[in-house]
Amino acid sequence: MSDAPTVFDSESPFGSRTDAELVALAQGGEMQAFDELLNRYKTKVYGTIYHMTGNHEDSNDLLLEVFEKAYFSLEKFKGKSSFSTWIFQITKNHVINHCQKNRNQNTFSLNEITSEDSDNDKFREFISPESTDRDVKIKELQNKLNESLMKLSEEHRLVVVMHDVEGKSGVEIAQILRCSEGTVRSRLHYARQQLQTHLKDYLI
C-alpha cells in the first residue's frame, strides 16, 4: 500500500461482500474493497467524532485522518476482532487525543439529550415553544450542557456518546475500549451521575 484513499463516495462492486472479505481484498491491494469499507463506516465514525468534538470542520478532518490511519495499518489487522471494533478503536484513540489537546473547543448538541430527559416535565416547560423566551432558554441549556460535558474526562464522555447517543451495547463498547463490561458500566454510571448533578436545575 502506498497512497492513502481520498474517495469516500465512489460506487463499489463489492457491496455484497462481508467486512472480512473486503479486508482480505484490501490487504491484497484492491482499493475499491477498502472504499467499500469506508462507505460502510464513514457515517458511524463521523457520528462518534462529532459527538465528541461538536465541530463539523474538525470532524471532517479527523474522519479523513482516522481512515488514513486505518489504511496504512490495515496490513497489521489480523482479524482477531471485527473490522467494526478495530475501526472504532482507532477512532477512539484519535478523537481522545484530539480532545485532550483541544479541551476548551468541544460542544454538545441538544440532539444528544436522552428520551428520559426530554420526557421530564421541567425540561419540557423549559424549552416549550409557548415560552416567550424559549430561544434564550435553549441557548442557556446548550451552554450548560457544553459546560457539563467538558467536566467529564474524555473516557467518560466517550462512554456516554457510544451508549446513550449511538446505542452501542456494553459488550461492544468494552471491546472497543479494551476494558471489561464492568468498567463500562462504572464509567457510564459515574458520567450520568455527574451530568445529572450539573443539570439538576433543569431536569429535576
Side-chain angles (χ1 to χ4, degrees), residues 3-133:
D3 298 323
T6 56
V7 178
F8 291 109
D9 294 313
S10 59
E11 293 185 3
S12 170
F14 301 111
S16 62
R17 300 295 186 100
T18 66
D19 285 358
E21 290 172 335
L22 291 172
V23 168
L25 288 167
Q27 288 175 330
E30 180 55 72
M31 275 301 302
Q32 283 187 295
F34 192 74
D35 286 343
E36 175 62 26
L37 288 169
L38 302 191
N39 286 328
R40 287 183 185 183
Y41 288 97
K42 64 179 181 180
T43 300
K44 293 180 180 179
V45 170
Y46 181 90
T48 297
I49 295 171
Y50 178 70
H51 288 126
M52 287 293 291
T53 65
N55 183 295
H56 284 295
E57 184 176 352
D58 285 349
S59 297
N60 284 322
D61 291 341
L62 290 169
L63 177 67
L64 290 170
E65 291 169 7
V66 164
F67 279 122
E68 182 175 323
K69 174 69 174 177
Y71 178 77
F72 287 115
S73 302
L74 194 62
E75 292 179 353
K76 301 177 183 178
F77 179 65
K78 303 302 182 184
K80 294 181 180 179
S81 65
S82 67
F83 179 81
S84 174
T85 296
W86 184 72
I87 194 66
F88 278 107
Q89 286 172 345
I90 294 175
T91 303
K92 177 261 296 186
N93 291 334
H94 205 65
V95 75
I96 283 181
N97 287 338
H98 172 83
C99 289
Q100 288 175 342
K101 294 177 182 178
N102 302 273
R103 290 182 185 274
N104 296 325
Q105 298 180 17
N106 295 3
T107 59
F108 193 59
S109 169
L110 288 176
N111 293 330
E112 279 68 77
I113 296 173
T114 66
S115 59
E116 181 178 347
D117 290 336
S118 63
D119 287 338
N120 184 284
D121 289 338
K122 189 168 184 179
F123 175 80
R124 287 202 303 268
E125 179 182 354
F126 184 80
I127 63 169
S128 170
E130 298 177 0
S131 174
T132 57
D133 56 349

